[in-house]
Amino acid sequence: MNSTNSRHAGVKLARITLGILAVFATLFVIYASLVPLRYTPRSWGETIASFKAIAWLNLSIGNRADWVANGLIMLPSGFLAAGAVDWRRKSRVPLLFASPLIVASLVAVVFSIEFVQIWFPPRVVSQNDIFAGVIGAFAGVALWWLMGRQLATQIEAFLMASPGVTRWGIAMQFAMLGLLLYNLMPLDLIWSPAEWSSKAAKGGFQIMDLSLTKKSVFLFCIAAFRVVPFTLLAVLLRNRQHAVRTGLLWACALEIVKVPVFSRAVSVTDVAASALGVLFAAQVAKIFWRFLQRLDRVWFWFLAAASWSGVMLAGFLLRFERVVRDTDVLKSRFEGILSVPFARAHSSSEFQAGENILLKIAVFGMLSFCLAGWASRADASGFYRRLIVVLSVVWIALMSISIEVGQVFLEPLVPDATDWIIYAVGAIVGVMAYRMLMPSRRLLSLELDRRLEESL
């Protein structure tokens, strides 16, 4: 197959993939809108009457995040569907004709969800949700019009680059953009002077926090670390001056975007912490990368996986308040593990549920990333390498079971079989990330040597 045919096949595959993702995103929205799947039959006449009487709720600033979330969950479907039509086309005419059809289809889904929710209490039906969903459908398509092609270019650049530092740089751009968007969440934006005053009154604008409580020290360390990976990589890709300059800009931007978000506190302390992190990272970058070269051995990846497993167990299980010993309560909690998938997410806000899912994916993704390094760096025959892969799968499975079963005995932690699905997704993501980002040990060492000579 020549390069032209190969490119056309790649473009076609990308469009099909985006279309499939758009369908799955829409199906997930439908499912998530109906959990916990407590179907309550009602007559057709009663259902129609209830739908006609759907009210417009006067939401306070505290409820605005959930309202915005109802719009955001429709955004990926529109964005992906538009991408499936427009990916790598010379003309935007097909997208111009497809956009109204995409929006109309998603709007129909939004109205259908609200209609069907009447049969699935305790789901709340409101005109607010319909309005938010419609806006989300429009916004997804509009977002592709605004930046879809630029994003496609970056994704292709990532895929065409070889695993190694260049891919790290592109991935870091996406990561920092994601962190910026995360700081804008849950998008409960301030609309009035009274809301500005309310945010100020509840401590939304902090000048300097000099307290030395465990929580304040922990948050200071988190703020200091958030730009460190970007700075270390920027030194390697460019130079120390560029890394410091752009790192400090990121430190400021990550706080500035939180100013109009009601539920996000803006802190000068966090800016100062990030700035210290940037300056420190810039100074130790050469030592860090040289040290990392020496550590890129099979034992390092094994120890990293073991250490991270300990952190995971502590993070998941040490938040308990009391140990359950009552047999009947334990039996009930064991039975509660097998609940409807993602049903428990309904008990919290959409933003909190999404944040919780992404955190669990990231945690297990890190574990599988380290285990993939253990298997990849092993200087062993095919049999022993396959054995390591099997042990890695068992390792992840045991961690998943240990966490959920352990939570049965620890209140108020809530065991949920849904988490096993999330953990599996995280494990897959971690392996994929390793395969896309990490070259062989020899090639990585050579590239780091060359980059360090150029930048430092």
Side-chain angles (χ1 to χ4, degrees), residues 31 35-37 336-344 416 418:
Y31 175 80
V35 292
L37 301 181
I337 292 181
L338 300 177
S339 58
V340 175
F342 299 100
R344 296 189 190 278
D416 188 355
T418 303

Side-chain angles (χ1 to χ4, degrees), residues 33-91:
S33 300
L34 300 180
V35 292
L37 301 181
R38 297 172 184 167
Y39 173 68
T40 302
R42 303 177 69 174
S43 67
W44 188 253
E46 186 181 5
T47 302
I48 296 295
S50 298
F51 188 73
K52 290 181 178 179
I54 293 177
W56 178 273
L57 305 178
N58 293 319
L59 301 177
S60 65
I61 182 64
N63 302 114
R64 191 171 296 161
D66 286 344
W67 176 70
V68 172
N70 282 310
L72 290 178
I73 60 175
M74 292 304 303
L75 189 148
S77 297
F79 185 82
L80 292 168
V85 174
D86 190 53
W87 185 275
R88 284 306 178 194
R89 291 191 187 275
K90 295 180 179 179
S91 171

